[in-house]
Amino acid sequence: MKRACALAVSLSMFTATVQAEPVLPRLFADGMVLQRDQPLPVWGTATPGARLQVGIDGERASTTVGTDGSWKVVLPQHAAGGPFQLEITGDGRALQVRDVLFGDVWLASGQSNMEWPLHDTQGAAAAVAAASDAQLRHFKIPKSWSGQPETTLAGGRWLPASPANAGSFSAVAYYFARDLRQHAGVPIGIIDSTWGGSTIEAWMPAALQDIDAGALATRMQAQRETDVRTLAKVRQRLAQWHTFDEHPQWAAARFDDRDWEAATLPGLWETGGYAGMDGIGWYRAEFTLSAAQAAQAGTLGVGRIDDSDRTFVNGVQVGATTMAWNTPRVYPLPAGQLQAGRNVVAVRVEDLGGGGGIHGEPSELFVRLADGSQVPLQGWRFRPGKVTVALDDDKNQIPTLLYNRMIHPLPPFPIKGVIWYQGESNATDAGALAYRDQFKALIQQWRQDWNAPALPFVWVQLASFGAGADHGEQSPWALLRESQSAALSLPHTAQVVSIDLGNATDIHPRNKRDVGARLALAARHAAYGETLTYSGPVQRAVRFDRGQAVITFDPMGSALAVRGGGMQVQGFTVAGADRRFHPAQARIDGDRVIVHSEAVATPVAVRYAWRENPADANLINSQQLPASPFRSDTW
């Protein structure tokens, strides 16, 4: 009898130890925002057969965990408010999720211009200091990928907007949410699922792209194994450096860098044996001058640096550039900066992702003196500073991988809508046209994933940028903007035009405040049903009459206008039957623009802002919102 009792106690203890405590998806965490006014699904895993109760603010639901360990309940919809506590009881314990708000949850996705952090934008210091709103919250999903659809996120946590947190928030999403807070008056949660440099294909499921999902999973598992071996070699190479702490003397002329590695430049450090390395690296080189040469002023070129640099000559900083991965660094050397004999250049490079180091053309590395003579930079040496290593950078280019890991685990977590800023990586001759069908398919797929056919979807059309991709009358960037606009045929969508907010020399324009504000306007229309001017003028009809193109616009509840004043519109071109476009003169006439060119007697086609960097395009409405680029032809 005693033995039987002891056995029963033993089995009881064993049963307790194998119980799987209830586990929730990562989004269900302290500080979360839940979507108001929609039924609330709550799900997770626990011990098969266990009985669970789930409740919040007096509403409760019960369920029995399935044989596969999964469970799900649906709680009634709840009005905006909080904070509340979500409780899951049963299976041997009580699980609480604290400080829960009900409001509107928006998914922010895309590539680097959506990912771009607030602390690195125009007016960042003031914006971060003023970011004190505990009802504006941000959940950043870490960059992650998978060869097959996953059910769990790789990480992330909810953070309230505060000076301590907001600098790392998506700047566009933060300004968007800040404006919505003012107008909707409810808590706003942002789920930030972004990856700089990603293609649209990476955010779409395999079935949508006729990809063999099983073959992809097998191939990517093999890739993971290869990556593990490569990373082991890189870490072994890094182990030769006893410390990664930076020292001021690394920039000094007299510093002994003989134990640094010889480097061949230009060339990213990944090609030099440091695959997957991000962070800080230092380069040093030298050049020799005569006394006469040293007395002159000069110019230093240190190539294109991915992403940021601080550059020194003889221990004195001569220049610095932040986040301009493809911009040649050319810094002035004032008279007195140089010295007779040996001079030393030191470059501190900071790379946040993708390639890192000094790249470009050999001709972009030089010392040029005031008399026009040029002196070579010699003996380049390199060492890493504080770095991380991971072989994820190219995964944002592979179809399906980001969808599998960064989107697929999210539904059915309810959301109000999606804001999207992506397309730069698809703005190629072939990619821009394909984007037309891809973008519509992505929107429809995500709506299907959330079982929400009317899920609002609002996006940013590509800003102006001197990509160097235009050739003749063909412009991949303009074509991609057209492909984005084509998705407006889907219901519950809206587009933000940003050609006036771009930067010809920086693919990451720093004015994110206006982008976020325009997204909020568009969302107030598409998601909240407000009647307001949310868009710039939209071309509705074109006719050709007596040597002129007559374009009728919908000014979107406002009057046509010209940025800067007047009635003369810039940015139009016209072509005749020969399909050769010429600059045109244009003027506003009510809700029409009349366009003509002395070079085209009989125009048959008209285009507006049809190039990658239409900086002069100035047609707006009274609310200063720009007209969208368009063309009347299909050439």
Short mmCIF file of all heavy atoms in Angstrom, two decimals, residues 167-226:
data_model
loop_
_atom_site.label_atom_id
_atom_site.label_comp_id
_atom_site.label_asym_id
_atom_site.label_seq_id
_atom_site.Cartn_x
_atom_site.Cartn_y
_atom_site.Cartn_z
N GLY A 167 14.15 57.15 -30.53
CA GLY A 167 15.19 57.33 -31.53
C GLY A 167 15.38 56.12 -32.41
O GLY A 167 15.77 56.24 -33.58
N SER A 168 15.09 54.93 -31.89
CA SER A 168 15.25 53.71 -32.68
C SER A 168 13.98 53.32 -33.42
O SER A 168 13.99 52.35 -34.18
CB SER A 168 15.68 52.55 -31.76
OG SER A 168 14.66 52.28 -30.80
N PHE A 169 12.88 54.05 -33.23
CA PHE A 169 11.63 53.74 -33.94
C PHE A 169 11.79 54.06 -35.42
O PHE A 169 12.55 54.93 -35.82
CB PHE A 169 10.47 54.58 -33.40
CG PHE A 169 9.98 54.22 -32.02
CD1 PHE A 169 10.64 53.29 -31.23
CD2 PHE A 169 8.85 54.83 -31.51
CE1 PHE A 169 10.19 52.98 -29.95
CE2 PHE A 169 8.39 54.53 -30.24
CZ PHE A 169 9.05 53.60 -29.46
N SER A 170 11.02 53.36 -36.26
CA SER A 170 10.87 53.77 -37.65
C SER A 170 10.39 55.22 -37.67
O SER A 170 9.35 55.55 -37.09
CB SER A 170 9.84 52.90 -38.36
OG SER A 170 9.30 53.56 -39.48
N ALA A 171 11.16 56.10 -38.32
CA ALA A 171 10.81 57.52 -38.32
C ALA A 171 9.49 57.77 -39.03
O ALA A 171 8.63 58.51 -38.53
CB ALA A 171 11.93 58.33 -38.98
N VAL A 172 9.32 57.16 -40.20
CA VAL A 172 8.07 57.34 -40.94
C VAL A 172 6.89 56.85 -40.11
O VAL A 172 5.86 57.53 -39.99
CB VAL A 172 8.13 56.60 -42.29
CG1 VAL A 172 6.75 56.51 -42.92
CG2 VAL A 172 9.09 57.32 -43.24
N ALA A 173 7.02 55.66 -39.52
CA ALA A 173 5.93 55.11 -38.73
C ALA A 173 5.66 55.95 -37.48
O ALA A 173 4.50 56.12 -37.07
CB ALA A 173 6.23 53.67 -38.33
N TYR A 174 6.72 56.48 -36.86
CA TYR A 174 6.53 57.30 -35.67
C TYR A 174 5.74 58.56 -36.01
O TYR A 174 4.76 58.89 -35.32
CB TYR A 174 7.87 57.69 -35.05
CG TYR A 174 7.72 58.75 -33.97
CD1 TYR A 174 7.22 58.41 -32.72
CD2 TYR A 174 8.03 60.08 -34.23
CE1 TYR A 174 7.03 59.38 -31.75
CE2 TYR A 174 7.86 61.06 -33.26
CZ TYR A 174 7.36 60.71 -32.02
OH TYR A 174 7.16 61.67 -31.06
N TYR A 175 6.15 59.29 -37.06
CA TYR A 175 5.43 60.52 -37.41
C TYR A 175 4.00 60.21 -37.84
O TYR A 175 3.06 60.96 -37.53
CB TYR A 175 6.17 61.27 -38.50
CG TYR A 175 7.41 62.01 -38.02
CD1 TYR A 175 8.67 61.72 -38.52
CD2 TYR A 175 7.29 63.00 -37.05
CE1 TYR A 175 9.80 62.41 -38.08
CE2 TYR A 175 8.42 63.69 -36.60
CZ TYR A 175 9.66 63.39 -37.12
OH TYR A 175 10.78 64.06 -36.67
N PHE A 176 3.82 59.10 -38.55
CA PHE A 176 2.48 58.66 -38.94
C PHE A 176 1.62 58.43 -37.69
O PHE A 176 0.50 58.94 -37.59
CB PHE A 176 2.62 57.37 -39.75
CG PHE A 176 1.36 56.57 -39.93
CD1 PHE A 176 0.42 56.93 -40.87
CD2 PHE A 176 1.13 55.43 -39.15
CE1 PHE A 176 -0.74 56.18 -41.05
CE2 PHE A 176 -0.02 54.68 -39.32
CZ PHE A 176 -0.97 55.06 -40.27
N ALA A 177 2.17 57.67 -36.75
CA ALA A 177 1.41 57.35 -35.54
C ALA A 177 1.15 58.60 -34.69
O ALA A 177 0.08 58.75 -34.09
CB ALA A 177 2.16 56.30 -34.72
N ARG A 178 2.15 59.48 -34.64
CA ARG A 178 1.99 60.71 -33.86
C ARG A 178 0.83 61.54 -34.38
O ARG A 178 0.00 62.05 -33.60
CB ARG A 178 3.27 61.53 -33.89
CG ARG A 178 3.29 62.69 -32.92
CD ARG A 178 4.52 63.54 -33.10
NE ARG A 178 4.50 64.29 -34.36
CZ ARG A 178 5.40 65.20 -34.71
NH1 ARG A 178 6.41 65.47 -33.89
NH2 ARG A 178 5.31 65.84 -35.86
N ASP A 179 0.72 61.65 -35.70
CA ASP A 179 -0.39 62.42 -36.27
C ASP A 179 -1.72 61.72 -36.06
O ASP A 179 -2.73 62.38 -35.76
CB ASP A 179 -0.15 62.65 -37.77
CG ASP A 179 0.80 63.81 -38.03
OD1 ASP A 179 1.56 64.18 -37.11
OD2 ASP A 179 0.80 64.34 -39.16
N LEU A 180 -1.74 60.40 -36.20
CA LEU A 180 -3.00 59.68 -35.96
C LEU A 180 -3.44 59.82 -34.51
O LEU A 180 -4.64 59.89 -34.22
CB LEU A 180 -2.84 58.21 -36.31
CG LEU A 180 -2.89 57.83 -37.79
CD1 LEU A 180 -2.94 56.32 -37.94
CD2 LEU A 180 -4.07 58.47 -38.52
N ARG A 181 -2.49 59.84 -33.59
CA ARG A 181 -2.84 60.01 -32.19
C ARG A 181 -3.62 61.31 -31.99
O ARG A 181 -4.58 61.37 -31.23
CB ARG A 181 -1.58 60.02 -31.32
CG ARG A 181 -0.94 58.68 -31.14
CD ARG A 181 -1.55 57.89 -29.99
NE ARG A 181 -1.35 58.57 -28.73
CZ ARG A 181 -2.33 58.93 -27.89
NH1 ARG A 181 -3.59 58.69 -28.22
NH2 ARG A 181 -2.07 59.53 -26.76
N GLN A 182 -3.19 62.34 -32.69
CA GLN A 182 -3.83 63.64 -32.53
C GLN A 182 -5.25 63.65 -33.10
O GLN A 182 -6.14 64.31 -32.56
CB GLN A 182 -2.99 64.72 -33.22
CG GLN A 182 -1.61 64.92 -32.58
CD GLN A 182 -0.74 65.87 -33.38
OE1 GLN A 182 -1.14 66.38 -34.43
NE2 GLN A 182 0.48 66.09 -32.91
N HIS A 183 -5.45 62.90 -34.19
CA HIS A 183 -6.74 62.96 -34.88
C HIS A 183 -7.70 61.86 -34.45
O HIS A 183 -8.90 62.10 -34.32
CB HIS A 183 -6.52 62.92 -36.40
CG HIS A 183 -5.85 64.13 -36.94
ND1 HIS A 183 -6.52 65.31 -37.18
CD2 HIS A 183 -4.55 64.36 -37.26
CE1 HIS A 183 -5.67 66.21 -37.64
NE2 HIS A 183 -4.46 65.68 -37.69
N ALA A 184 -7.18 60.64 -34.22
CA ALA A 184 -8.06 59.55 -33.81
C ALA A 184 -8.30 59.55 -32.30
O ALA A 184 -9.32 59.06 -31.83
CB ALA A 184 -7.48 58.20 -34.25
N GLY A 185 -7.32 60.07 -31.55
CA GLY A 185 -7.47 60.18 -30.10
C GLY A 185 -7.48 58.85 -29.38
O GLY A 185 -8.03 58.74 -28.28
N VAL A 186 -6.86 57.82 -29.99
CA VAL A 186 -6.80 56.50 -29.36
C VAL A 186 -5.35 56.05 -29.33
O VAL A 186 -4.50 56.57 -30.06
CB VAL A 186 -7.66 55.47 -30.13
CG1 VAL A 186 -9.12 55.91 -30.17
CG2 VAL A 186 -7.11 55.24 -31.54
N PRO A 187 -5.02 55.06 -28.48
CA PRO A 187 -3.66 54.51 -28.54
C PRO A 187 -3.34 53.99 -29.93
O PRO A 187 -4.21 53.47 -30.64
CB PRO A 187 -3.70 53.38 -27.51
CG PRO A 187 -4.79 53.77 -26.56
CD PRO A 187 -5.82 54.45 -27.40
N ILE A 188 -2.08 54.12 -30.34
CA ILE A 188 -1.62 53.62 -31.64
C ILE A 188 -0.44 52.69 -31.41
O ILE A 188 0.53 53.05 -30.72
CB ILE A 188 -1.19 54.76 -32.58
CG1 ILE A 188 -2.35 55.72 -32.85
CG2 ILE A 188 -0.64 54.19 -33.89
CD1 ILE A 188 -3.48 55.14 -33.67
N GLY A 189 -0.53 51.50 -31.97
CA GLY A 189 0.58 50.55 -31.93
C GLY A 189 1.13 50.34 -33.33
O GLY A 189 0.36 50.19 -34.29
N ILE A 190 2.44 50.35 -33.45
CA ILE A 190 3.12 50.11 -34.72
C ILE A 190 3.87 48.79 -34.63
O ILE A 190 4.69 48.59 -33.73
CB ILE A 190 4.11 51.23 -35.06
CG1 ILE A 190 3.38 52.55 -35.28
CG2 ILE A 190 4.94 50.87 -36.29
CD1 ILE A 190 2.50 52.60 -36.51
N ILE A 191 3.59 47.87 -35.55
CA ILE A 191 4.39 46.66 -35.71
C ILE A 191 5.33 46.92 -36.87
O ILE A 191 4.90 47.04 -38.02
CB ILE A 191 3.53 45.42 -35.98
CG1 ILE A 191 2.53 45.21 -34.84
CG2 ILE A 191 4.40 44.19 -36.17
CD1 ILE A 191 1.52 44.11 -35.12
N ASP A 192 6.61 47.03 -36.59
CA ASP A 192 7.62 47.42 -37.57
C ASP A 192 8.29 46.15 -38.12
O ASP A 192 9.13 45.54 -37.47
CB ASP A 192 8.65 48.33 -36.88
CG ASP A 192 9.80 48.75 -37.79
OD1 ASP A 192 9.90 48.23 -38.91
OD2 ASP A 192 10.61 49.60 -37.37
N SER A 193 7.88 45.76 -39.33
CA SER A 193 8.44 44.58 -39.99
C SER A 193 9.12 45.05 -41.27
O SER A 193 8.51 45.07 -42.34
CB SER A 193 7.35 43.55 -40.29
OG SER A 193 7.90 42.37 -40.83
N THR A 194 10.38 45.46 -41.16
CA THR A 194 11.09 46.09 -42.27
C THR A 194 12.49 45.49 -42.40
O THR A 194 13.06 44.99 -41.44
CB THR A 194 11.22 47.60 -42.04
OG1 THR A 194 11.81 47.83 -40.75
CG2 THR A 194 9.87 48.30 -42.10
N TRP A 195 13.04 45.61 -43.61
CA TRP A 195 14.42 45.17 -43.84
C TRP A 195 14.96 45.99 -45.00
O TRP A 195 14.50 45.88 -46.14
CB TRP A 195 14.46 43.68 -44.16
CG TRP A 195 15.85 43.09 -44.15
CD1 TRP A 195 17.01 43.70 -44.51
CD2 TRP A 195 16.21 41.75 -43.76
NE1 TRP A 195 18.07 42.84 -44.37
CE2 TRP A 195 17.61 41.64 -43.92
CE3 TRP A 195 15.50 40.64 -43.33
CZ2 TRP A 195 18.30 40.46 -43.64
CZ3 TRP A 195 16.19 39.47 -43.07
CH2 TRP A 195 17.57 39.39 -43.21
N GLY A 196 15.96 46.82 -44.73
CA GLY A 196 16.55 47.66 -45.75
C GLY A 196 17.08 46.86 -46.93
O GLY A 196 17.68 45.80 -46.75
N GLY A 197 16.85 47.37 -48.14
CA GLY A 197 17.35 46.73 -49.34
C GLY A 197 16.51 45.57 -49.83
O GLY A 197 16.84 44.94 -50.84
N SER A 198 15.41 45.26 -49.16
CA SER A 198 14.62 44.09 -49.53
C SER A 198 13.83 44.33 -50.81
O SER A 198 13.39 45.44 -51.10
CB SER A 198 13.67 43.71 -48.39
OG SER A 198 12.84 44.80 -48.02
N THR A 199 13.64 43.26 -51.57
CA THR A 199 12.79 43.28 -52.75
C THR A 199 11.37 42.92 -52.37
O THR A 199 11.13 42.30 -51.32
CB THR A 199 13.29 42.28 -53.80
OG1 THR A 199 13.23 40.96 -53.22
CG2 THR A 199 14.73 42.59 -54.22
N ILE A 200 10.44 43.25 -53.24
CA ILE A 200 9.04 42.89 -52.95
C ILE A 200 8.87 41.38 -52.94
O ILE A 200 8.06 40.85 -52.17
CB ILE A 200 8.08 43.56 -53.95
CG1 ILE A 200 6.62 43.44 -53.45
CG2 ILE A 200 8.23 42.99 -55.35
CD1 ILE A 200 5.62 44.21 -54.27
N GLU A 201 9.65 40.67 -53.76
CA GLU A 201 9.52 39.21 -53.81
C GLU A 201 9.79 38.57 -52.46
O GLU A 201 9.21 37.52 -52.14
CB GLU A 201 10.49 38.64 -54.85
CG GLU A 201 10.16 39.01 -56.29
CD GLU A 201 10.84 40.29 -56.75
OE1 GLU A 201 11.26 41.10 -55.88
OE2 GLU A 201 10.96 40.49 -57.98
N ALA A 202 10.69 39.18 -51.67
CA ALA A 202 11.01 38.61 -50.36
C ALA A 202 9.83 38.66 -49.41
O ALA A 202 9.77 37.88 -48.44
CB ALA A 202 12.20 39.35 -49.75
N TRP A 203 8.86 39.54 -49.67
CA TRP A 203 7.70 39.74 -48.78
C TRP A 203 6.47 38.99 -49.28
O TRP A 203 5.37 39.19 -48.75
CB TRP A 203 7.38 41.22 -48.66
CG TRP A 203 8.49 42.02 -48.03
CD1 TRP A 203 9.38 42.83 -48.68
CD2 TRP A 203 8.82 42.10 -46.65
NE1 TRP A 203 10.25 43.40 -47.79
CE2 TRP A 203 9.94 42.97 -46.53
CE3 TRP A 203 8.31 41.52 -45.49
CZ2 TRP A 203 10.52 43.27 -45.29
CZ3 TRP A 203 8.89 41.82 -44.26
CH2 TRP A 203 9.98 42.69 -44.18
N MET A 204 6.63 38.11 -50.28
CA MET A 204 5.50 37.39 -50.85
C MET A 204 5.68 35.89 -50.64
O MET A 204 6.79 35.38 -50.69
CB MET A 204 5.40 37.70 -52.35
CG MET A 204 5.20 39.18 -52.65
SD MET A 204 5.45 39.59 -54.41
CE MET A 204 4.07 38.70 -55.15
N PRO A 205 4.58 35.14 -50.44
CA PRO A 205 4.70 33.70 -50.22
C PRO A 205 5.11 32.96 -51.48
O PRO A 205 4.97 33.46 -52.60
CB PRO A 205 3.30 33.29 -49.76
CG PRO A 205 2.40 34.33 -50.33
CD PRO A 205 3.19 35.61 -50.33
N ALA A 206 5.59 31.73 -51.29
CA ALA A 206 6.08 30.93 -52.42
C ALA A 206 4.98 30.68 -53.44
O ALA A 206 5.22 30.79 -54.66
CB ALA A 206 6.65 29.61 -51.89
N ALA A 207 3.78 30.33 -52.98
CA ALA A 207 2.70 29.97 -53.90
C ALA A 207 2.35 31.12 -54.85
O ALA A 207 1.92 30.89 -55.98
CB ALA A 207 1.47 29.53 -53.12
N LEU A 208 2.53 32.34 -54.37
CA LEU A 208 2.19 33.50 -55.18
C LEU A 208 3.22 33.74 -56.28
O LEU A 208 2.98 34.52 -57.20
CB LEU A 208 2.12 34.74 -54.27
CG LEU A 208 1.16 35.86 -54.64
CD1 LEU A 208 -0.26 35.34 -54.75
CD2 LEU A 208 1.23 36.98 -53.62
N GLN A 209 4.36 33.06 -56.18
CA GLN A 209 5.45 33.28 -57.14
C GLN A 209 5.83 32.00 -57.89
O GLN A 209 6.89 31.93 -58.52
CB GLN A 209 6.67 33.82 -56.39
CG GLN A 209 6.36 35.09 -55.61
CD GLN A 209 7.56 35.61 -54.85
OE1 GLN A 209 8.48 36.19 -55.41
NE2 GLN A 209 7.57 35.42 -53.54
N ASP A 210 4.95 31.00 -57.81
CA ASP A 210 5.20 29.71 -58.49
C ASP A 210 6.54 29.12 -58.07
O ASP A 210 7.29 28.59 -58.90
CB ASP A 210 5.15 29.89 -60.02
CG ASP A 210 3.76 30.26 -60.50
OD1 ASP A 210 2.78 29.78 -59.90
OD2 ASP A 210 3.65 31.06 -61.45
N ILE A 211 6.84 29.22 -56.79
CA ILE A 211 8.08 28.66 -56.23
C ILE A 211 7.75 27.34 -55.54
O ILE A 211 6.75 27.24 -54.82
CB ILE A 211 8.70 29.65 -55.23
CG1 ILE A 211 9.19 30.91 -55.95
CG2 ILE A 211 9.84 29.00 -54.47
CD1 ILE A 211 9.64 32.01 -55.02
N ASP A 212 8.58 26.35 -55.77
CA ASP A 212 8.44 25.06 -55.10
C ASP A 212 8.86 25.25 -53.64
O ASP A 212 10.05 25.36 -53.33
CB ASP A 212 9.33 24.03 -55.79
CG ASP A 212 9.17 22.63 -55.19
OD1 ASP A 212 8.89 22.51 -53.98
OD2 ASP A 212 9.33 21.65 -55.94
N ALA A 213 7.89 25.30 -52.75
CA ALA A 213 8.17 25.61 -51.35
C ALA A 213 9.07 24.56 -50.71
O ALA A 213 9.97 24.89 -49.93
CB ALA A 213 6.85 25.72 -50.57
N GLY A 214 8.87 23.30 -51.04
CA GLY A 214 9.71 22.25 -50.47
C GLY A 214 11.15 22.36 -50.92
O GLY A 214 12.08 22.21 -50.11
N ALA A 215 11.34 22.62 -52.20
CA ALA A 215 12.71 22.76 -52.73
C ALA A 215 13.39 23.97 -52.11
O ALA A 215 14.59 23.93 -51.81
CB ALA A 215 12.66 22.87 -54.25
N LEU A 216 12.62 25.07 -51.93
CA LEU A 216 13.20 26.26 -51.32
C LEU A 216 13.64 25.98 -49.89
O LEU A 216 14.74 26.37 -49.47
CB LEU A 216 12.19 27.41 -51.33
CG LEU A 216 12.63 28.69 -50.64
CD1 LEU A 216 13.81 29.33 -51.36
CD2 LEU A 216 11.48 29.69 -50.52
N ALA A 217 12.80 25.28 -49.13
CA ALA A 217 13.15 24.97 -47.74
C ALA A 217 14.41 24.13 -47.67
O ALA A 217 15.30 24.36 -46.83
CB ALA A 217 11.98 24.24 -47.06
N THR A 218 14.54 23.15 -48.57
CA THR A 218 15.73 22.31 -48.59
C THR A 218 16.97 23.13 -48.95
O THR A 218 18.03 22.99 -48.32
CB THR A 218 15.55 21.17 -49.60
OG1 THR A 218 14.42 20.38 -49.22
CG2 THR A 218 16.78 20.29 -49.67
N ARG A 219 16.83 23.98 -49.95
CA ARG A 219 17.96 24.79 -50.39
C ARG A 219 18.41 25.75 -49.29
O ARG A 219 19.61 25.93 -49.05
CB ARG A 219 17.59 25.57 -51.64
CG ARG A 219 18.69 26.47 -52.18
CD ARG A 219 18.39 26.91 -53.60
NE ARG A 219 17.18 27.69 -53.71
CZ ARG A 219 17.13 29.02 -53.62
NH1 ARG A 219 18.25 29.70 -53.38
NH2 ARG A 219 16.01 29.67 -53.74
N MET A 220 17.46 26.36 -48.58
CA MET A 220 17.83 27.32 -47.56
C MET A 220 18.39 26.63 -46.30
O MET A 220 19.20 27.22 -45.59
CB MET A 220 16.64 28.21 -47.20
CG MET A 220 16.16 29.07 -48.37
SD MET A 220 17.49 29.85 -49.36
CE MET A 220 18.30 30.85 -48.13
N GLN A 221 17.98 25.40 -46.05
CA GLN A 221 18.59 24.67 -44.95
C GLN A 221 20.05 24.39 -45.26
O GLN A 221 20.93 24.53 -44.40
CB GLN A 221 17.84 23.35 -44.70
CG GLN A 221 18.42 22.51 -43.57
CD GLN A 221 18.47 23.24 -42.24
OE1 GLN A 221 17.56 24.00 -41.91
NE2 GLN A 221 19.54 23.03 -41.49
N ALA A 222 20.33 24.03 -46.50
CA ALA A 222 21.72 23.82 -46.92
C ALA A 222 22.50 25.13 -46.83
O ALA A 222 23.68 25.14 -46.43
CB ALA A 222 21.76 23.27 -48.34
N GLN A 223 21.84 26.24 -47.16
CA GLN A 223 22.51 27.54 -47.07
C GLN A 223 22.84 27.88 -45.63
O GLN A 223 23.92 28.43 -45.34
CB GLN A 223 21.62 28.63 -47.67
CG GLN A 223 22.25 30.00 -47.72
CD GLN A 223 23.48 30.04 -48.60
OE1 GLN A 223 23.44 29.68 -49.76
NE2 GLN A 223 24.61 30.47 -48.03
N ARG A 224 21.94 27.57 -44.72
CA ARG A 224 22.22 27.82 -43.29
C ARG A 224 23.46 27.05 -42.85
O ARG A 224 24.30 27.57 -42.11
CB ARG A 224 21.02 27.41 -42.44
CG ARG A 224 19.88 28.41 -42.41
CD ARG A 224 18.91 28.09 -41.30
NE ARG A 224 17.74 28.95 -41.33
CZ ARG A 224 17.68 30.15 -40.77
NH1 ARG A 224 18.75 30.64 -40.16
NH2 ARG A 224 16.57 30.88 -40.84
N GLU A 225 23.58 25.82 -43.30
CA GLU A 225 24.74 25.02 -42.92
C GLU A 225 26.03 25.60 -43.49
O GLU A 225 27.07 25.62 -42.82
CB GLU A 225 24.52 23.58 -43.38
CG GLU A 225 23.37 22.89 -42.66
CD GLU A 225 22.96 21.57 -43.29
OE1 GLU A 225 23.60 21.18 -44.30
OE2 GLU A 225 22.00 20.94 -42.80
N THR A 226 25.94 26.09 -44.73
CA THR A 226 27.11 26.75 -45.33
C THR A 226 27.46 28.02 -44.58
O THR A 226 28.64 28.32 -44.32
CB THR A 226 26.82 27.08 -46.81
OG1 THR A 226 26.56 25.87 -47.52
CG2 THR A 226 28.01 27.80 -47.45
#
